[in-house]
Amino acid sequence: MKKHLGTGFAAMALMAALSGCAGSPGTSTTTAAPTPSATSRAATSAAPTTGTPSAAAAVDLKAASSSAGNIVVDSAGMSLYFFTKDVKDSGTSACTGACLTAWPPLLTTAATPAAEGVTGTLGTIATPDGAKQVTLNGLPLYYFAQDKNPGDILGQGVNGVWNLATPAGEMIRSAASGY
């Protein structure tokens, strides 16, 4: 019985975090800068939710095949997503506050991110805490916290605003992943 209650509370917490990501453009759930532990993701970690990751010295992106089509993944095979509320080439992320808990940014310390099989233009933007978030065709890239294993694409279509990134830098707009 206790296990079911814990699972229910965890599901409610996830839905609360995800609902913060579905607001209208220009709105945010908080004005405080996110903490580094909530927003940092190591591009080379086996699973993006283990430990307190930090930015990798070099981000190695690559193309991979998935049930949704060809997508962009990090060097460990973790899927990367676009947020439809982000504005191309704006230099900022529309995902702030609680949104960053469910959708951590892909960070790097490299001046120019490296990629294999990715034909879109890679770059970086500064996060509020001064880290470098990787961009593809001018849009920031994010992980989905519920993707636990390489190849997971559970974030696809969440709230109708999260889409997998293609190697060309386009959004895969298809049915939701079950959320």
Side-chain angles (χ1 to χ4, degrees), residues 84-108:
T84 61
K85 307 265 186 225
D86 284 327
V87 177
K88 183 177 179 171
D89 297 322
S90 71
T92 61
S93 168
C95 181
T96 60
C99 178
L100 291 170
T101 302
W103 301 94
L106 171 63
L107 300 177
T108 186

Side-chain angles (χ1 to χ4, degrees), residues 109-132:
T109 57
T112 305
E116 181 180 305
V118 177
T119 58
T121 304
L122 292 173
T124 62
I125 60 170
T127 64
D129 62 357
K132 289 184 198 175

